[in-house]
Amino acid sequence: MTAETTESASGPPVKPGPPVKSGAPGPRALARRRRRASVARFWREYRTHRAGVFGLAALVLFVLVALTAPLTVGSDVDSVTDAPGQPLESPSGRFPLGTDQFGRNLLGLLIWGSRVSLLVGLLAAVLSVLIGALIGITAGHFRGWYATVMMRITDWFLVMPTLVLAIVLATVLSRSLGTIVLAIGVTTWPTTARLVRAQTLAVESRPYIERAKALGGGHWHIMSRHVLPNVMPLILAQTTLIISSAILSEATLAFLGLGDPAVVSWGGLLQDAREAGSVSSGDWWYLVPPGIGIAVVALAFTLCGRAVEAVLNPRLGVSR
């Protein structure tokens, strides 16, 4: 009889465990390695989409310009009392994009306004996706009367004009950036909710969900550990696509005079140009640069969103 199977007086026989390798990585290290590999694989696929790379380069440029605005143009660029030029000066060496109706440097205002437009678009898109993802996942998981009520509310928001609802909210509430973010976020979530619910239903029909329920997995465990990771690629792609429409909505509300008058944004510049009569007087430098900025940023986000969607779902066959 060997020493491994001999019972000792202090307890049952102790069998030796498997040998431990000193250099073996732990579970967290393996998880980090898998995440790095997934990110590297995603970037390799993303680089094959030329339009997506162009959109990403444009976004990086705009973000850098917005972040460095306090250093490049100063925080007093929107001051009316200390305007450096004469009202509505045409482009020159001193003012490359001319001046506005108060004599302020339009190039500086354009750079400073990018901060507000990008921030409002991002926050509104995040709020919209959070609401849509929450309703979509819960409606797809619980079903029954809850799903019926949530989907009827979603259908009501879908048939209502989004811009009209946003205008109503922006009119009723105080004129601020928070109001614009709220107005856009609570009116643009239904599409995300529909897409996420459909994906949730597809995920929960898979066999491993039934096994997780049989092993005692609760509602929160199923939704957070199994459903959310599978719908996250869809949520990410939807976020990049919604940001462009959120920026356009912010510009529209600001152009209609529903934004914060004390904050410079691209839509606000267009509103100021309209009030100054730049359309009839031919002051193109007051109108064209903000419009081009809005169009380029919206296009860049759309290109990035389509590229992300194509990488995460190759069956879409989006052109490269």
Side-chain angles (χ1 to χ4, degrees):
M1 184 176 296
T2 61
E4 289 83 355
T5 59
T6 302
E7 294 189 12
S8 63
S10 60
V14 179
K15 295 183 179 181
V20 179
K21 296 181 179 180
S22 59
R28 293 184 179 179
L30 290 175
R32 288 194 296 267
R33 185 180 300 175
R34 285 195 295 266
R35 284 194 292 267
R36 288 196 296 267
S38 299
V39 172
R41 184 168 57 253
F42 172 85
W43 176 240
R44 285 196 301 269
E45 289 293 327
Y46 187 92
R47 286 186 301 176
T48 61
H49 297 267
R50 292 187 296 271
V53 173
F54 171 78
L56 181 61
L59 288 182
V60 170
L61 177 62
F62 274 100
V63 169
L64 289 177
V65 169
L67 292 177
T68 59
L71 300 177
T72 56
V73 299
S75 58
D76 59 343
V77 67
D78 59 340
S79 176
V80 177
T81 57
D82 298 330
Q86 298 299 320
L88 298 177
E89 286 188 33
S90 59
S92 61
R94 184 184 178 190
F95 303 113
L97 295 181
T99 62
D100 67 350
Q101 58 182 332
F102 303 109
R104 297 178 297 181
N105 184 6
L106 271 176
L107 178 60
L109 293 175
L110 186 70
I111 294 175
W112 191 261
S114 64
R115 297 165 60 89
V116 175
S117 296
L118 291 175
L119 180 63
V120 171
L122 179 61
L123 293 180
V126 170
L127 177 61
S128 172
V129 169
L130 285 178
I131 297 174
L134 178 62
I135 293 178
I137 292 176
T138 54
H141 176 78
F142 290 107
R143 307 181 190 183
W145 66 268
Y146 174 80
T148 302
V149 172
M150 289 295 102
M151 288 301 101
R152 295 298 77 80
I153 295 175
T154 303
D155 293 339
W156 183 83
F157 273 94
L158 280 173
V159 299
M160 289 293 293
T162 301
L163 182 59
V164 174
L165 290 176
I167 290 175
V168 170
L169 287 176
T171 304
V172 173
L173 301 176
S174 60
R175 296 173 62 181
S176 64
L177 292 182
T179 299
I180 297 297
V181 171
L182 182 64
I184 298 173
V186 300
T187 56
T188 56
W189 58 266
T191 303
T192 303
R194 277 288 182 183
L195 293 174
V196 172
R197 179 178 181 268
Q199 185 69 12
T200 300
L201 293 174
V203 171
E204 295 214 353
S205 64
R206 297 172 183 172
Y208 70 87
I209 298 294
E210 295 295 331
R211 290 195 295 267
K213 293 179 180 178
L215 293 174
H219 297 299
W220 174 253
H221 176 82
I222 298 297
M223 289 188 293
S224 62
R225 297 296 183 89
H226 299 290
V227 176
L228 183 60
N230 283 278
V231 302
M232 187 56 70
L234 176 63
I235 293 174
L236 177 61
Q238 190 68 9
T239 302
T240 57
L241 292 174
I242 290 180
I243 290 177
S244 60
S245 62
I247 291 176
L248 292 174
S249 298
E250 184 276 331
T252 302
L253 293 176
F255 178 75
L256 294 175
L258 299 176
D260 189 348
V263 175
V264 177
S265 67
W266 289 342
L269 290 177
L270 292 177
Q271 164 68 2
D272 293 341
R274 184 184 66 83
E275 291 181 349
S278 297
V279 178
S280 58
S281 60
D283 299 330
W284 59 268
W285 61 88
Y286 207 166
L287 288 168
V288 175
I292 291 179
I294 294 171
V296 171
V297 170
L299 177 62
F301 273 111
T302 301
L303 294 177
C304 289
R306 286 176 57 85
V308 170
E309 197 174 14
V311 172
L312 299 178
N313 188 6
R315 291 177 298 176
L316 294 176
V318 178
S319 61
R320 301 183 179 184

